[in-house]
Each structure stands twice: as C-alpha cells, then as structure tokens.
C-alpha cells in the first residue's frame, strides 16, 4: 500500500471513530391527528386524557409525538376538509372524537392506510364503524361511551320515585341518539316506564319540542350529541317554564345548576381506553385485531343540583341521601 493510500485509510478510520462517539440523533416525533366534533367538557376530557395516557405508554408529547388537533365546531360540512388536513401530515394514526367525525373519517380516509381510533361513540355498530363488539374493522377501532339504559332508568327511578313516563329529546339524524332511544324503550318496558319521544332536527325548534312534553312526561332525558348538548341552556329555560325536571347525559350542566341531574359516562376513561388502543396500534397490532371497548356499562359520574331541587319543589329521595353527589 502506498503512503498516500495508508494515510487515506487512517484518516477514514479516525473519522469513523469520531462518528462512533457522537450519539445517534433522536428520530423525529411521530404525528397523531385528533379530529374533534366541537368544544365540550366531555369531548375535551377525551382528548386530554388520551394524550396523558399515551404519555404513560411511552409517547410523550413534544418528544415522541406531535399532535395535530382540529375542531369542527359541530359543523359536519367541514369534516372532509378537516380530515384531509390531518391526513397531509402523514400521521401514524388519527383519533376521531364523536360519531359524526368517525363516520366522516370512514369515508374520507378510505384507502389512505391510516389507522383510525374512534372515541365517544355511542353505538359503533349502528354507526357502521365496526361489524360487532368482538372485532375491530380493517381501518378503525376504538372506545365507546355507550350508556347502559338499565342503569339510566334505575337512577331515574331513585331520583323520581314512581315515574311512569320519561321524555327523551333527541335528534333523529344522529345515530347515537337513535341508539340510546331504542335501548331506553326496551329497558323501560319491563319496568312499566314509557319513553315519550320528542324528536327535533333543528336547533331552533328545541324549545317547542320541550314544551310539547308538558303533561306527557314527568321528566326528560337529554342524550349526548352535537345538537342537544350545546342547546342545554335553551332546554333548561324551556323545561323550567313547565316545571319539567331534566336529566342530562353530561354532569357539567347539573354542576352549573341548569338541570336537575347529570348521569354521565366517565369520559376520562373513554380517553384512556382510546389511548391504550392507540398504543397497541403504534406497536404493530392491526385495528382488526383490537375489539372496541364500551366504557359506559357501569362507570358513571352522578351530580344532582340542589338549586334545581329547590326550584322544582322536590326533595332528595332517601335512596340518594348518602350519594355524596348533591352540589349547591
């Protein structure tokens, strides 16, 4: 070997040695998209606990993962645009919060190869997101907030003993509302409780539909959903005019004194379950091999408003005397 070639080889070895001493740079953080139906305490809780649980699973925000978060403000018309914006960042997966968002993602992201984790879906089968509770779909799986109808009615009977007619205000255009309506009807029959329907597909008509329950129902249940929950102040005002107790699927309105009671699925757990599913997907498990999880079988938050009890001239029944759930 010539002197020049020996010198070149020695120099190459020295450079290689220097590179060996430099630690490998951290890989760029992965992207996860979050598509949220709108700003609401329940939906916000899902996105927040999703990120917190993923951090526990080893995906720390800013270090291992970057979140691209988009909110539709309860406007279905912008969902395709919103989802395509998230898609452009090449995410490892997308979290869709609420039924309308997940349904739009099913169509908009079809064939994109991006796993979808849904959350806060009342009935993923009725919404045609998965075929059954035993399997995920090829493109998505996730956590459901499906409320246990029997549990809702059991609480209602404790709160309003002897109730025979429970109204339900719902949007016939939302599959999640139709799902809980059907299940409440079925659960009410053996208990002798009739579910009195008050369907409404226009927010402007909500006060009229609430007023229509006067003399027909002893209380009204309001399900989760993009139309009814933002309208709780209007529902509260209309129900108050006819002395109709309101049981809401969100506890926040009861804490605020707008409704008599809140009987709410634990949305923190909905977010945590979605994150546990996401972690499995990020580690290589196919969505089809991960069954959806129903959180709302028996995990509920209960809040009763003392202000509404007084306003409605109701006393707290003995069955709830030690619930620790009454707020001023």
């Amino acid at each position: 070997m010539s002197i020049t070639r020996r010198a070149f080889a020695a120099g190459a070895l020295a450079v290689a040695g220097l590179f060996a001493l430099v630690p490998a740079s951290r890989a760029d953080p992965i992207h996860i998209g979050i598509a949220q139906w709108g700003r609401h305490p329940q939906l916000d809780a899902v996105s927040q606990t999703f990120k917190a649980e993923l951090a526990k699973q080893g995906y720390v925000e800013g270090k291992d993962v970057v979140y691209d978060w988009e909110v539709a403000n309860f406007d279905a018309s912008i969902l395709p645009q919103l989802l395509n914006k998230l898609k452009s960042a090449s995410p490892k997966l997308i979290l869709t919060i609420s039924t309308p968002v997940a349904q739009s993602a099913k169509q908009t992201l079809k064939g994109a190869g991006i796993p979808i984790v849904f959350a806060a879906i009342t009935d993923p089968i009725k919404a045609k997101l998965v075929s059954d509770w035993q399997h995920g779909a090829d493109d998505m799986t996730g956590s459901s907030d499906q409320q246990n109808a029997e549990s809702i009615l059991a609480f209602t009977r404790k709160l309003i003993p002897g109730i025979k007619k429970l109204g339900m205000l719902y949007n016939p255009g939302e599959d999640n509302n139709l799902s809980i309506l059907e299940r409440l009807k079925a659960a009410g029959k053996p208990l002798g409780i009739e579910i009195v329907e008050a369907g409404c597909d226009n927010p402007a008509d909500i006060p009229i539909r609430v007023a229509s329950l006067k003399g027909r129902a002893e209380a009204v249940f309001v399900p989760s959903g993009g139309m009814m929950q933002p309208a709780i102040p209007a529902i509260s005002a209309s129900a108050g005019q006819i002395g109709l107790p309101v049981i809401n699927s969100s506890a926040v309105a009861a804490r605020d004194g707008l409704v008599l009671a809140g009987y709410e699925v634990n949305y923190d757990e909905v977010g945590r379950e979605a994150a546990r599913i996401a972690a499995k997907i990020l580690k290589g498990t196919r969505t089809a091999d991960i069954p959806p999880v129903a959180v709302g079988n028996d995990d509920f938050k209960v809040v009763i408003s003392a202000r509404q009890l007084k306003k409605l001239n109701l006393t707290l029944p003995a069955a709830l005397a030690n619930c620790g759930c009454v707020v001023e």
Side-chain angles (χ1 to χ4, degrees), residues 222-247:
V222 184
S224 59
M227 181 184 292
M228 296 306 162
Q229 288 306 311
I232 283 296
I235 293 170
S236 172
S238 300
Q241 291 175 0
I242 59 175
L244 187 68
V246 179
I247 301 169

Side-chain angles (χ1 to χ4, degrees), residues 81-99:
Q81 176 185 349
L82 180 152
L83 290 161
N84 277 313
K85 182 178 179 181
L86 292 175
K87 175 185 172 182
S88 67
S90 300
K92 291 295 182 183
L93 62 83
I94 292 178
L95 173 71
T96 58
I97 304 176
S98 87
T99 301

Side-chain angles (χ1 to χ4, degrees), residues 185-215:
K185 283 183 173 181
K189 283 183 179 179
L191 300 175
I193 297 177
E194 177 187 352
I195 304 302
V196 182
E197 297 185 37
C200 182
D201 58 7
N202 186 336
D205 293 336
I206 286 176
I208 298 172
R209 300 306 294 149
V210 173
S212 74
L213 292 170
K214 183 177 181 180

Side-chain angles (χ1 to χ4, degrees), residues 155 159 245-246 251-262 302-317 320-321 323-328:
F155 169 73
L159 183 63
V246 179
V252 175
R255 291 192 187 99
D256 292 343
L258 292 175
V259 301
L260 174 60
V302 180
V303 175
I304 297 172
S305 167
R307 188 190 313 174
Q308 283 288 321
L309 283 171
K310 184 177 180 180
K311 183 177 180 180
L312 294 164
N313 290 317
L314 296 175
T315 56
L316 187 69
L320 292 168
C323 70
C325 60
V326 179
V327 298
E328 295 299 327

Side-chain angles (χ1 to χ4, degrees), residues 251-294:
V252 175
R255 291 192 187 99
D256 292 343
L258 292 175
V259 301
L260 174 60
Y263 198 68
E264 176 183 295
V265 169
N266 187 339
Y267 281 86
D268 290 345
E269 190 59 24
V270 172
R272 281 191 284 267
E273 286 291 355
R276 291 164 190 151
I277 289 170
K280 292 178 183 178
I281 293 170
L282 293 173
K283 292 171 184 175
T285 306
R286 299 186 314 139
T287 56
D289 296 330
I290 305 174
V293 176

Side-chain angles (χ1 to χ4, degrees), residues 12-322:
L13 288 171
V15 171
L18 285 172
F19 274 109
L21 293 174
V22 178
S25 60
R26 183 181 300 277
D28 290 337
I30 62 173
H31 278 250
I32 291 179
I34 298 179
Q36 186 169 319
W37 183 223
R39 296 303 305 273
H40 184 274
Q42 292 174 331
L43 305 184
D44 289 346
V46 172
S47 61
Q48 291 163 6
T49 55
F50 176 83
K51 290 192 277 189
E53 180 62 27
L54 263 187
K56 291 181 181 179
Q57 297 285 337
Y59 298 92
V60 179
E61 185 174 4
K63 176 185 174 186
D64 308 295
V65 61
V66 171
Y67 292 100
D68 303 309
W69 183 50
E70 297 288 339
V71 181
N73 296 318
F74 305 108
D75 184 353
S77 68
I78 69 171
L79 285 174
Q81 176 185 349
L82 180 152
L83 290 161
N84 277 313
K85 182 178 179 181
L86 292 175
K87 175 185 172 182
S88 67
S90 300
K92 291 295 182 183
L93 62 83
I94 292 178
L95 173 71
T96 58
I97 304 176
S98 87
T99 301
V101 181
Q103 288 176 318
S104 182
K106 188 88 169 175
Q107 299 301 319
T108 304
L109 302 177
K110 187 176 182 179
I114 301 172
I116 300 166
V117 176
F118 57 71
I121 309 296
T122 299
D123 193 335
I125 299 171
K126 189 175 185 66
K128 296 181 172 59
L129 302 177
V130 295
S131 59
D132 55 54
W133 287 101
Q134 288 71 48
H135 308 87
D138 289 337
D139 55 353
M140 63 168 54
T141 188
S143 64
S144 166
D145 63 349
Q146 184 174 107
Q147 293 173 305
N148 185 304
E150 289 81 3
S151 184
I152 293 170
L153 292 180
F155 169 73
T156 301
R157 293 175 82 194
K158 287 181 181 178
L159 183 63
I160 307 174
I163 186 170
K164 295 297 181 183
K165 293 186 177 183
L166 175 65
M168 179 169 161
L169 189 64
Y170 70 98
N171 178 5
E174 292 189 39
D175 286 333
N176 55 339
N177 281 198
L178 294 176
S179 173
I180 186 61
L181 174 63
E182 291 174 3
R183 289 182 288 111
L184 280 174
K185 283 183 173 181
K189 283 183 179 179
L191 300 175
I193 297 177
E194 177 187 352
I195 304 302
V196 182
E197 297 185 37
C200 182
D201 58 7
N202 186 336
D205 293 336
I206 286 176
I208 298 172
R209 300 306 294 149
V210 173
S212 74
L213 292 170
K214 183 177 181 180
R216 300 170 58 225
E218 298 157 78
V220 60
F221 174 74
V222 184
S224 59
M227 181 184 292
M228 296 306 162
Q229 288 306 311
I232 283 296
I235 293 170
S236 172
S238 300
Q241 291 175 0
I242 59 175
L244 187 68
V246 179
I247 301 169
N248 193 32
S249 56
S250 168
V252 175
R255 291 192 187 99
D256 292 343
L258 292 175
V259 301
L260 174 60
Y263 198 68
E264 176 183 295
V265 169
N266 187 339
Y267 281 86
D268 290 345
E269 190 59 24
V270 172
R272 281 191 284 267
E273 286 291 355
R276 291 164 190 151
I277 289 170
K280 292 178 183 178
I281 293 170
L282 293 173
K283 292 171 184 175
T285 306
R286 299 186 314 139
T287 56
D289 296 330
I290 305 174
V293 176
V295 171
N297 285 329
D298 53 17
D299 193 357
F300 288 89
K301 293 179 182 177
V302 180
V303 175
I304 297 172
S305 167
R307 188 190 313 174
Q308 283 288 321
L309 283 171
K310 184 177 180 180
K311 183 177 180 180
L312 294 164
N313 290 317
L314 296 175
T315 56
L316 187 69
L320 292 168
N322 298 316

